[in-house]
Amino acid sequence: MKEDAARARLQRSAGQRARREVPLKTAAQIAGIRKASHLTRDILDALEGRVKPGITTERINTWVHEMTLAAGAIPAPLNYRGYPKSVCTSINEVICHGIPSPERVLQEGDILNIDVTSILDGYYGDCSRMFLIGEVSEEARKLVEVTRQCLVLGIAQVKPGNHVGDVGHAIQQHAEAHGYSVVRAFVGHGTGVRFHEPPDIPHYGQPGTGMEFVPNMVFTIEPMINTGGFQAKVLEDGWTAITTDGGLSAQWEHTVLVTEDGVEVLTA
Ligand code: MF3
Ligand code: CO
Ligand code: CO
């Protein structure tokens, strides 16, 4: 049919735009990014069980730093645009980019995001998870679980022909249905060869809008979801982003690859 041909032409041009603006990865690059991503996953796995009340975020930093070097890799955060540590540790009202400190002892009831990015043979893998410290409130536990579901629903939208806005829309719908808000100031991002590459992946948006996914794109999805408003402010240290209203914030992150017929979660 004529309309089908027109639609196919339009879709081809959308795909071409993506190919122009986004660095598509070669098979060799994908193999390298997959290895780096598996390392970040393994580092987070090793932290499960060690992260508990009484330990400091500095100790988490030391563990991540040492495990990364032991694997022959480099912790991407260290000295990235002046960031002073090897991992981000974001607790309770901290949205992201919390800086590990010997002064911050994990307390029963805290919710903690640990964000690990490793550079292995020049390739990046970026992944973060939430950790519940001892017994946490029902409110906090529910936020953490709904935020995890937001990541899963966002990933489910990734396939050739879908759009960046489909991911954001799925995440926003789910978060707001639970009375939560979606952080606007920080977004997912292309990654793999550099820490942050195009495209931006907002965690809010309209279906069918934004760039079209094409095979061999690599990017992160990393929704930050708040119990209160979405507004964020950055502390004097130039990094720590907190909710302006003091509400809780949670985040989960994966690095994903667009395949011929869907998605591969590289950090799973
Ligand atoms: N890993 C974070 C992200 O998901 C970026 C951290 S930048 C740092 O994009 F400098 F704070 F480490
Ligand atoms: Co990221
Ligand atoms: Co990250």
Side-chain angles (χ1 to χ4, degrees):
M1 234 167 68
K2 214 165 145 200
E3 279 138 81
D4 281 349
R7 184 153 14 85
R9 206 159 43 240
L10 229 141
Q11 269 172 7
R12 262 198 311 280
S13 72
Q16 272 157 7
R17 184 182 146 222
R19 285 183 179 84
R20 245 193 341 269
E21 295 176 13
V22 174
L24 299 180
K25 271 58 181 183
T26 65
Q29 288 173 329
I30 289 167
I33 298 164
R34 188 181 286 113
K35 268 180 81 177
S37 295
H38 289 175
L39 173 60
T40 63
R41 173 201 64 198
D42 293 346
I43 290 170
L44 282 162
D45 282 349
L47 294 173
E48 309 268 358
R50 293 196 203 179
V51 173
K52 46 182 156 230
I55 69 145
T56 64
T57 51
E58 176 71 23
R59 197 136 161 233
I60 297 170
N61 184 73
T62 303
W63 285 332
V64 170
H65 187 85
E66 287 176 353
M67 283 191 272
T68 306
L69 296 192
I74 298 163
L78 188 59
N79 301 321
Y80 176 75
R81 300 181 181 219
Y83 186 79
K85 294 285 179 176
S86 297
V87 66
C88 297
T89 50
S90 303
I91 305 174
N92 299 338
E93 76 286 356
V94 179
I95 295 170
C96 63
H97 303 164
I99 303 174
S101 157
E103 317 284 274
R104 185 54 165 98
V105 179
L106 296 180
Q107 308 285 333
E108 182 99 11
D110 285 338
I111 57 169
L112 164 69
N113 174 277
I114 303 182
D115 191 339
V116 176
T117 310
S118 311
I119 314 172
L120 183 61
D121 303 327
Y123 298 111
Y124 290 74
D126 188 3
C127 187
S128 82
R129 294 182 198 165
M130 294 301 294
F131 292 75
L132 304 180
I133 308 306
E135 285 291 312
V136 310
S137 70
E138 183 58 22
E139 182 200 22
R141 197 197 54 71
K142 201 185 133 214
L143 173 70
V144 167
E145 177 55 16
V146 170
T147 305
R148 194 191 60 75
Q149 292 166 356
C150 284
L151 175 58
V152 170
L153 291 169
I155 291 170
Q157 292 298 319
V158 178
K159 60 176 175 196
N162 267 13
H163 291 76
V164 167
D166 296 321
V167 170
H169 183 73
I171 290 169
Q172 184 176 13
Q173 282 285 113
H174 192 64
E176 292 180 356
H178 285 86
Y180 301 142
S181 67
V182 176
V183 170
R184 307 291 202 266
F186 302 94
V187 295
H189 51 91
T191 193
V193 174
R194 290 179 293 128
F195 201 162
H196 296 104
E197 305 176 14
D200 279 356
I201 309 288
H203 305 107
Y204 53 91
Q206 294 304 318
T209 64
M211 190 173 288
E212 184 177 324
F213 296 128
V214 298
N216 304 325
M217 280 183 181
V218 174
F219 54 87
T220 72
I221 305 178
E222 47 183 299
M224 287 145 277
I225 306 297
N226 298 348
T227 55
F230 65 75
Q231 292 81 4
K233 70 171 179 208
V234 175
L235 299 184
E236 304 279 78
D237 61 23
W239 285 100
T240 311
I242 66 168
T243 58
T244 57
D245 59 13
L248 290 173
S249 189
Q251 178 179 32
W252 295 80
E253 175 177 27
H254 273 309
T255 298
V256 306
L257 165 72
V258 183
T259 62
E260 292 302 323
D261 56 2
V263 63
E264 176 182 344
V265 184
L266 295 173
T267 42

